[in-house]
Amino acid sequence: MASTLELPPKTTRLKPALRCLRLPDFDASNLDAVHAAFAAATPCALGQAWRADEEPDFAPGQVRAGWRRDALLLFAELTDRDIFTRATAPNQRMWELGDTFEIFLRPANRPEYVELHVTPNNQRLQLRIPHTEALRRAQAANEFDEFLLRGNVFHSATWVQPEKQKWFVYAAIPAITVCGQDRVNMGSRWLFSFSRYDYTRGGGEPVISSTSPHAEPDFHRQQEWGTLNFATGE
């Protein structure tokens, strides 16, 4: 979800394209091991392409991607001066409750897509949106319950380091959650966008950012999402 505030656009940027490498097994509960596993992956930076310049309180972030067997694997590193959320349970409106990392994924040949949120305390929101028209109707009514996915449709872990003004997200998203297949198919393409809400307590509206070169601050503009290409690790 994102605000609809109109701001002057930046110079047009190219949509990102990530070559998603096959990763070896690693300990996903250990931050150092996750860092090492994604070391060769190309980082994709978050920005504010819809603005002429970033907001003064903009804080950088970057996301790396890989895959293994049946899942897309993501690792996000987010700079944050005030890391917090009021989220207490799954499938709350995370983007209204504090800092949130958002994942948008869609098979290149299908209209439906998933929107997945992770908060610093590792609460998750899981949505499956059948197409853009359904999303716009839901936005107009401010009602999204019809899109909620129950249960655990993906795995995530978070690490919060306030002394370094950083928090990290690891996510493993099964192919069946995104495209209904049991395994990731090498050579396949998904559309993607990663975004965040960066709140500061007492600071008013959150600072939002995205890996997509959005002409407007609307994370659901799929024409500006990037492409994820699944490749071998060699």
Side-chain angles (χ1 to χ4, degrees):
M1 304 304 160
S3 84
T4 56
L5 180 63
E6 297 271 347
L7 293 166
K10 275 187 179 179
T11 302
T12 301
R13 295 191 310 170
L14 295 176
K15 293 184 289 186
L18 288 181
R19 184 170 179 262
C20 190
L21 299 179
R22 184 163 53 193
L23 300 183
D25 290 338
F26 58 91
D27 181 0
S29 67
N30 182 282
L31 179 58
D32 290 338
V34 176
H35 258 301
F38 283 86
T42 301
C44 190
L46 290 99
Q48 296 182 310
W50 55 88
R51 297 183 61 96
D53 298 291
E54 279 88 6
E55 294 177 67
D57 290 334
F58 169 80
Q62 59 183 20
V63 187
R64 289 177 164 86
W67 69 279
R68 190 173 61 236
R69 291 186 290 275
D70 64 347
L72 169 69
L73 310 179
L74 301 174
F75 181 52
E77 179 177 345
L78 307 169
T79 302
D80 197 331
R81 289 177 287 274
D82 184 19
I83 306 167
F84 86 101
T85 180
R86 298 186 298 277
T88 58
N91 280 342
Q92 295 177 331
R93 292 184 171 221
M94 305 309 183
W95 73 97
E96 297 178 349
L97 298 174
D99 297 327
T100 303
F101 174 63
E102 299 187 353
I103 302 163
F104 297 85
L105 296 169
R106 195 197 104 189
N109 60 348
R110 294 169 63 171
E112 69 269 18
Y113 61 98
V114 293
E115 177 181 348
L116 310 171
H117 295 202
V118 184
T119 65
N121 61 350
N122 201 28
Q123 294 292 346
R124 292 186 290 272
L125 169 64
Q126 306 171 153
L127 304 167
R128 184 186 305 282
I129 300 167
H131 46 72
T132 301
E133 292 77 11
L135 181 276
R136 298 307 180 196
R137 288 195 298 270
Q139 286 179 321
N142 196 27
E143 179 54 66
F144 305 97
D145 285 356
E146 65 179 294
F147 303 142
L148 289 175
L149 296 173
R150 310 295 179 178
N152 295 317
V153 303
F154 76 108
H155 168 76
S156 63
T158 59
W159 298 266
V160 176
Q161 298 181 345
E163 72 283 1
K164 296 181 179 179
Q165 297 188 346
K166 285 183 180 294
W167 63 288
F168 303 85
V169 179
Y170 167 75
I173 301 137
I176 198 165
T177 295
V178 180
C179 59
Q181 297 178 348
D182 291 334
R183 298 180 65 85
V184 172
N185 291 328
M186 189 173 62
S188 62
R189 292 190 311 120
W190 293 358
L191 302 183
F192 80 91
S193 189
F194 310 128
S195 59
R196 72 182 289 201
Y197 279 73
D198 183 9
Y199 279 81
T200 299
R201 277 169 281 204
E205 293 296 314
V207 176
I208 64 173
S209 56
S210 175
T211 56
S212 297
H214 290 309
E216 301 172 10
D218 178 353
F219 298 155
H220 294 268
R221 288 173 57 94
Q222 296 181 48
Q223 66 268 37
E224 292 148 350
W225 289 4
T227 303
L228 197 61
N229 299 289
F230 292 93
T232 66
E234 288 81 25

